[in-house]
Amino acid sequence: MTQEVIVSTKARAMQFIDSFSGRRAFFAVSGILLVFLIIVFVQFFKKTNRNLYADGLAKFHEKNFDQAVKLFSQALEYSPSDHASRFGLGWAYQAKGWKKEALQQYETAIKGASDTLMYSAFNAGVIQQEARQLNEAVRLYLIAEKINPQFSSAFLNLGLVYLDLAKNELALEQFGRYLQLDPKSAVGYFDIGIAYERLGKREEAKKNYKQSLQIDPKNLGALQRLNTLSTTK
C-alpha cells in the first residue's frame, strides 16, 4: 500500500512538473510573439506616419489644400509630436487663407521644437558638467535658459558650474534666479549660502543656511556650514 502511495505521489509530481514546464514554454512563446507584434506595430506606425506626411506634402504641391489638411491631420493623430506634419498642417491652412488656424499650428510646432531643443541643451550640459568640461556646460545651460527663462533646473545647474569655476558672483546671480522660480527649495538656499560664504558674506550665508534648514531640517550640509560659521570668525 505504501509503495502504491509513493508511486502515485511521484506520478502526480511528474504531472505537475510537466504542466509547469508546459506553462513556462507557453509564456515564453507568448512573450516572444508579443515582442514581435510590438515591433511590427511600431514599424507600421512609423511607415504610416511617414506616408501620410509625404502624401500630404504631395497634395500641397498639387495645390489640393483640402486633401493636404486631411492627410497632415491624420499624421498628427498617429503622432501629435510630429513637428514636420504640424508645420505642414499650418502651411496648408495658410494656403487656404485660414490664418488663425495656421497660426495656432505654427505656435504649437514652435513650442514643441523649442522644448526638444531646450531639453537637448540641458541634458548635454549635464553630460559636459559630469565630464568636467565646465565651459561647454556653461554654453549649453545658457542655451536652455534662453529658450525657456522659466526652466529652473538650468539656473541651478549653471550656478553649480560657476561655483566650480570660482565665478561666485555669477553663481550668486544664477541661484537667485533659481529661487525666484522655486522659492521653497532647500537646495537653492543652501547653494546660494555657499556662494555668499565664498564671497566672504558670512551673515548672508548664515541667513540662507537657516532658511534651507527651515524648509528641510534634515539638510545636514546646511547645518554643518551654519555650525562652522557660528563657531569661527
Side-chain angles (χ1 to χ4, degrees), residues 179-195:
L179 285 170
Q180 288 177 356
L181 297 169
D182 191 357
K184 295 183 179 181
S185 170
V187 171
Y189 285 107
F190 173 75
D191 289 336
I192 202 170
I194 293 290

Side-chain angles (χ1 to χ4, degrees), residues 194-207:
I194 293 290
Y196 275 123
E197 188 175 352
R198 290 188 180 183
L199 289 167
K201 299 180 179 181
R202 296 165 59 91
E203 292 305 314
E204 286 295 328
K206 288 165 65 175
K207 175 183 175 182

Side-chain angles (χ1 to χ4, degrees), residues 78-90:
Y78 278 97
S79 178
S81 61
D82 180 0
H83 306 314
S85 293
R86 182 77 60 188
F87 169 77
L89 181 57

Side-chain angles (χ1 to χ4, degrees), residues 113-219:
S114 296
D115 286 347
T116 299
L117 181 57
M118 178 190 71
Y119 284 114
S120 296
F122 177 78
N123 289 331
V126 171
I127 292 172
Q128 295 288 26
Q129 185 178 1
E130 291 173 348
R132 308 302 295 169
Q133 300 297 316
L134 300 181
N135 290 324
E136 274 300 295
V138 168
R139 180 182 69 83
L140 291 161
Y141 287 141
L142 286 172
I143 291 173
E145 288 183 0
K146 185 175 181 180
I147 295 169
N148 183 1
Q150 303 299 311
F151 187 29
S152 61
S153 295
F155 293 104
L156 179 64
N157 282 22
L158 183 53
L160 293 172
V161 173
Y162 281 143
L163 281 182
D164 285 340
L165 290 169
K167 296 182 178 181
N168 299 313
E169 290 283 0
L170 291 175
L172 191 66
E173 179 185 345
Q174 293 297 316
F175 294 140
R177 295 178 69 182
Y178 169 73
L179 285 170
Q180 288 177 356
L181 297 169
D182 191 357
K184 295 183 179 181
S185 170
V187 171
Y189 285 107
F190 173 75
D191 289 336
I192 202 170
I194 293 290
Y196 275 123
E197 188 175 352
R198 290 188 180 183
L199 289 167
K201 299 180 179 181
R202 296 165 59 91
E203 292 305 314
E204 286 295 328
K206 288 165 65 175
K207 175 183 175 182
N208 282 281
Y209 291 146
K210 289 178 181 178
Q211 185 67 32
S212 179
L213 285 167
Q214 285 182 2
I215 297 170
D216 179 13
K218 296 181 179 179
N219 189 335

Side-chain angles (χ1 to χ4, degrees), residues 39-121:
I39 293 172
V40 170
F41 174 78
V42 169
Q43 293 303 318
F44 172 77
F45 172 83
K46 289 181 177 179
K47 183 178 180 181
T48 300
N49 200 57
R50 285 197 301 268
N51 288 349
L52 287 169
Y53 170 74
D55 291 346
L57 205 57
K59 292 299 180 183
F60 180 91
H61 289 300
E62 292 172 6
K63 301 189 184 303
N64 189 343
F65 303 126
D66 288 334
Q67 192 64 22
V69 166
K70 179 180 178 180
L71 290 164
F72 288 134
S73 297
Q74 288 176 351
L76 288 168
E77 288 177 7
Y78 278 97
S79 178
S81 61
D82 180 0
H83 306 314
S85 293
R86 182 77 60 188
F87 169 77
L89 181 57
W91 203 16
Y93 279 144
Q94 187 176 2
K96 285 168 60 67
W98 295 8
K99 295 181 180 180
K100 181 179 178 181
E101 290 79 1
L103 186 59
Q104 182 181 9
Q105 296 304 318
Y106 289 147
E107 293 287 355
T108 303
I110 289 168
K111 185 180 186 307
S114 296
D115 286 347
T116 299
L117 181 57
M118 178 190 71
Y119 284 114
S120 296

